[in-house]
Amino acid sequence: METTNILSTSTTLFPTHTATSSYSSTSLSSIPKVRISRQRIRTTNSNNRNLLRVQSRSAAMAIEKERPESERPDTFLRDADEAASAKSIRSRFEKMIREAQDSICQAIERADGVGKFKEDVWSRPGGGGGISRVLQDGGVWEKAGVNVSVVYGTMPPEAYRAAKGDNSATKAGPVPFFAAGISSVLHPKNPFAPTLHFNYRYFETDAPKGIIVLNGLVSHLIGFPHIRTRRFQTKGKNALRDLDGAPRQWWFGGGTDLTPAYIFEEDVKHFHTVQKKACDKFDPEFYPKFKKWCDDYFVIKHRDERRGLGGIFFDDLNGYDQEMLLSFATVL
């Protein structure tokens, strides 16, 4: 059996400038309490929208205001998406995150033995919504949140181009988008147990109308949301474009990270070993790439250090087969 060296140079748990870097060659059992930035559970519906990492200085995304619901719907997808295909990525990703939310919450309640999750369900008039669940003051967890969101909205073309690094001079109107994700933060009562955070998301741009140019003949596409294409997937005469000039696009993002108050080497090794094994099932380059991405992402600039002991992180990921990435996000 291959031995995984989690503490190798290429995948060090304590990269330069971490709060623990000065102890990297010392027995971890002698390390005193580590200074950390403790996360807060953010349970409001507006904060749950943080799964949308598209930023624009010139304009904000247009998202309808949510409204409370008394019951969970079978799906938060719009009727057109639901009718298009139960096998669509949108439908399957929503199914995955809702099943994951149920199984994770059940496991947390069993381990806690005392606390129970409280649930808020919300929706938007134009379609979409989410489920927020919080367990507080339990036997094991001080607070645990597990939230899912399935939302629709529009972003300005500047935001789309900034998100994708597209400097095209093509003028386009607002770009419709779809986003779905699951996010969680777990704060234990015991200071010797680490805080855990994860979130995984799927994002699509879309347009109600597009055109296909086939051998110089133009035909309109109306009402076919299941048709997908990558940006610049085809060139020349055979190309799929949106009428407003904004290309359709999709990507996955997410990650899992560990933030202990006290460091126990066996816990850190176990956490990173599990992450590496999950990544290696799909691509041996995933773990070192996504681990470094996580190390660099969680830099606390004013302290010149990294928060916690890392994990994996990735965003705008669409350079691989879409089905493979869906399976990857599901396994994680």
Side-chain angles (χ1 to χ4, degrees):
M1 180 179 297
E2 181 182 357
T3 301
T4 302
N5 184 6
I6 297 301
L7 295 177
S8 65
T9 303
S10 61
T11 58
T12 177
L13 296 178
F14 309 117
T16 305
H17 301 311
T18 61
T20 56
S21 60
S22 60
Y23 299 102
S24 58
S25 61
T26 307
S27 173
L28 293 179
S29 61
S30 63
I31 296 177
K33 187 174 182 178
V34 178
R35 183 178 62 181
I36 62 170
S37 293
R38 187 167 177 81
Q39 292 175 310
R40 293 181 178 178
I41 298 288
R42 291 180 292 194
T43 60
T44 62
N45 296 326
S46 60
N47 283 330
N48 194 33
R49 293 197 297 267
N50 284 337
L51 64 93
L52 308 175
R53 292 191 58 258
V54 180
Q55 298 178 349
S56 173
R57 294 182 179 180
S58 59
M61 291 185 185
I63 305 178
E64 295 174 316
K65 185 177 180 180
E66 62 271 7
R67 60 190 180 192
E69 298 289 347
S70 59
E71 295 182 357
R72 296 192 298 270
D74 292 333
T75 179
F76 288 107
L77 296 177
R78 287 174 174 168
D79 292 341
D81 282 342
E82 186 180 4
S85 175
K87 296 181 180 180
S88 70
I89 298 295
R90 294 185 182 193
S91 177
R92 290 155 62 195
F93 194 85
E94 184 201 22
K95 182 175 184 293
M96 182 273 287
I97 61 176
R98 292 188 62 173
E99 289 178 350
Q101 184 186 41
D102 289 342
S103 62
I104 291 168
C105 289
Q106 291 168 8
I108 290 174
E109 287 184 347
R110 285 196 301 269
D112 191 90
V114 176
K116 297 293 181 181
F117 278 95
K118 294 183 179 180
E119 178 179 284
D120 290 318
V121 181
W122 52 275
S123 67
R124 293 202 177 96
I131 302 171
S132 302
R133 292 178 184 169
V134 178
L135 182 153
Q136 190 167 355
D137 297 326
V140 174
W141 277 275
E142 177 184 338
K143 187 176 284 188
V146 186
N147 304 324
V148 296
S149 295
V150 178
V151 297
Y152 297 82
T154 58
M155 71 170 84
E158 297 84 1
Y160 178 85
R161 287 194 287 268
K164 300 309 301 172
D166 181 6
N167 296 318
S168 171
T170 302
K171 292 184 179 180
V175 181
F177 70 83
F178 166 89
I182 181 170
S183 61
S184 178
V185 183
L186 308 177
H187 281 308
K189 284 186 171 182
N190 188 338
F192 292 101
T195 292
L196 180 72
H197 159 262
F198 70 83
N199 77 84
Y200 293 95
R201 54 193 176 271
Y202 175 68
F203 190 98
E204 282 186 8
T205 60
D206 202 0
K209 296 181 181 180
I211 58 172
I212 272 188
V213 183
L214 296 173
N215 298 321
L217 300 176
V218 179
S219 61
H220 288 269
L221 291 176
I222 302 177
F224 292 92
H226 59 284
I227 298 179
R228 304 281 181 245
T229 182
R230 295 185 184 181
R231 181 162 55 108
F232 310 133
Q233 181 177 343
T234 56
K235 297 181 179 180
K237 295 182 178 180
N238 297 329
L240 174 62
R241 308 182 189 93
D242 292 329
L243 284 176
D244 60 9
R248 297 183 183 183
Q249 185 58 282
W250 58 264
W251 58 86
F252 290 86
T256 304
D257 57 276
L258 191 73
T259 305
Y262 293 90
I263 298 176
F264 294 92
E265 184 174 2
E266 61 270 28
D267 291 346
V268 181
K269 283 185 176 181
H270 172 74
F271 172 76
H272 279 271
T273 299
V274 170
Q275 297 296 305
K276 185 177 186 302
K277 287 181 178 179
C279 291
D280 286 350
K281 292 178 181 179
F282 296 88
D283 192 317
E285 295 183 358
F286 275 4
Y287 176 74
K289 179 180 179 180
F290 297 159
K291 183 191 179 304
K292 183 180 184 301
W293 204 338
C294 183
D295 291 338
D296 295 340
Y297 181 77
F298 287 114
V299 171
I300 306 172
K301 293 184 178 180
H302 69 279
R303 291 185 178 178
D304 194 26
E305 66 185 35
R306 290 181 173 89
R307 192 204 73 204
L309 296 180
I312 61 171
F313 176 81
F314 57 92
D315 202 9
D316 298 342
L317 194 65
N318 65 355
Y320 302 84
D321 179 75
Q322 192 176 31
E323 289 290 335
M324 186 270 274
L325 292 178
L326 176 63
S327 298
F328 176 60
T330 301
V331 167
L332 294 172

